[in-house]
Amino acid sequence: MIISYIFITSFILCLIGLFFNFCFANQCSAEECAELHGRPAPHSPLVPCYTLDIEFLLCSAPIDLKGNETAREELGYGCTKYGGQRYEDVQFTSVNCTVLSGIECYGPRTFQRGGFPCVKYSGHYFLTTLLYSVLLGFLGMDRFCLGHTGTAVGKLLTLGGVGMWWIVDVVLLVTGNLTPEDGSNWVPYA
């Protein structure tokens, strides 16, 4: 009787041991589990890739949708217009960013990041154009500089509309109503 009791107890303990070995054999440490699920270990210095500063990313240029608002609504990003003289006039979009090689982080290394302005620059400086307008505006130099070739030739042939067109263009330039023909923004000096 005692032998059968010892045998049954040993058998039950053996089954319990097998159960725990089976159940917990596939368990991993905190570091291993985090790595398996794409997260860093609990005390790892790694940060999510999407939280990195822009200096650690390579981002593409905003997509030009050429005024197609329907495409912007479908995609959820892209530029339908560029530029604007005031902050409120500038459209913002998302672009695709990739983490630079050699930077360690966790999560997807390519993702979309928002907040990029739809602004393009083509080498037009406001101060240079203003100087052209004041000093050589009667020859249409300011309009040639901005790409308004047709009106620049008219201004040249009439010597700045006998001075009137010259003054009007200086005022238009200062108030922000005379801008580059291609719709680009003034290049900042920073």
Side-chain angles (χ1 to χ4, degrees), residues 27-146:
Q27 296 295 322
C28 51
S29 68
E31 288 79 16
E32 293 169 338
C33 284
E35 198 172 299
L36 285 174
H37 298 294
R39 294 186 304 268
H43 301 293
S44 171
L46 294 180
V47 297
C49 292
Y50 68 88
T51 62
L52 290 173
D53 286 338
I54 192 73
E55 60 203 27
F56 302 113
L57 304 173
L58 179 63
C59 296
S60 63
I63 296 174
D64 186 5
L65 299 175
K66 298 180 181 14
N68 190 347
E69 287 290 338
T70 307
R72 181 177 167 86
E73 289 173 10
E74 287 176 4
L75 289 173
Y77 60 91
C79 297
T80 56
K81 71 178 188 83
Y82 279 91
Q85 297 301 315
R86 299 178 327 178
Y87 179 82
E88 295 83 22
D89 298 337
V90 176
Q91 192 177 59
F92 290 87
T93 187
S94 298
V95 297
N96 290 323
C97 294
T98 304
V99 178
L100 295 172
S101 61
I103 304 295
E104 292 187 29
C105 59
Y106 74 90
R109 295 184 66 83
T110 300
F111 51 88
Q112 279 198 345
R113 176 172 280 183
F116 285 84
C118 294
V119 175
K120 63 181 174 181
Y121 301 108
S122 59
H124 297 288
Y125 292 89
F126 176 76
L127 187 58
T128 306
T129 308
L130 183 62
L131 287 173
Y132 281 147
S133 187
V134 170
L135 300 176
L136 300 170
F138 66 96
L139 298 175
M141 203 59 177
D142 50 353
R143 289 195 174 252
F144 277 117
C145 204
L146 293 175

Side-chain angles (χ1 to χ4, degrees), residues 160-178:
V162 192
M164 293 304 292
W165 197 350
W166 181 20
I167 294 168
V168 168
D169 272 358
V170 171
V171 172
L172 287 175
L173 193 62
V174 170
T175 59
N177 293 315
L178 181 60

